[in-house]
Amino acid sequence: MTSRLPHWEKTRLWVLSRPLSGFAETFSQYIVEVSPAGGSQKPEPDKLAESVLFVVDEKVSLTVESKTYKMENGGYAFLPLGANWALTNESENKVVFHWIRKAYEFVDGVDTPPYFVINVDDHTKYLISTQSI
């Protein structure tokens, strides 16, 4: 069964897990399908939630803190709590992505991590050599 969320236009999603569903207590996971010209300028209603987006089909425009990124298949974004972000489908096809939302856990003395947007095809830039361990 598909669902809809407030502040999302031309969008439907499938809830894979959500708090209190017996599978998750502190996170939720959706598969999101955004039709052309759809998306949201206010996607996250909970300012204490952090999110991960993973694009699996087509291209989407993600704006974080006034900077716009074009994400395509394999695109990955980490959005910390309180991040100001928006997402729009500017293509002529439906875009599909996974959205994982988790309640942020504050740790004394540890700063909130910054957001980042990458693509899995760029993974070699971020690998640590196991030979040096």
Side-chain angles (χ1 to χ4, degrees), residues 5-118:
L5 292 176
H7 307 293
W8 284 84
E9 301 294 327
K10 300 182 181 180
T11 301
R12 65 182 185 159
L13 60 99
W14 292 263
V15 178
L16 300 180
S17 64
R18 63 178 176 78
L20 304 176
S21 68
F23 179 67
E25 292 184 12
T26 62
F27 77 94
S28 57
Q29 181 176 3
Y30 315 126
I31 295 176
V32 183
E33 180 185 84
V34 182
S35 294
S40 179
Q41 296 302 306
K42 297 189 309 184
E44 180 55 70
D46 185 349
K47 294 298 180 189
L48 294 178
E50 59 187 346
S51 294
V52 168
L53 308 178
F54 183 68
V55 179
V56 294
D57 195 19
E58 284 301 327
K59 298 177 184 177
V60 69
S61 180
L62 174 69
T63 302
V64 185
E65 307 301 342
S66 302
K67 186 170 180 181
T68 301
Y69 301 86
K70 303 298 183 192
M71 296 175 64
E72 56 188 34
N73 296 357
Y76 179 96
F78 168 74
L79 304 163
L81 75 154
N84 183 16
W85 63 283
L87 185 139
T88 55
N89 180 356
E90 298 173 354
S91 74
E92 295 179 7
N93 301 308
K94 291 179 182 176
V95 66
V96 177
F97 64 93
H98 288 255
W99 182 13
I100 299 170
R101 301 170 61 234
K102 183 183 179 308
Y104 182 76
E105 295 181 38
F106 291 92
V107 176
D108 189 37
V110 178
D111 293 335
T112 302
Y115 82 88
F116 62 89
V117 180
I118 62 172

Side-chain angles (χ1 to χ4, degrees), residues 109-131:
V110 178
D111 293 335
T112 302
Y115 82 88
F116 62 89
V117 180
I118 62 172
N119 189 291
V120 294
D121 291 338
D122 299 333
H123 70 281
T124 54
K125 295 178 191 176
Y126 307 99
L127 290 180
I128 298 172
S129 171
T130 56
Q131 294 175 353

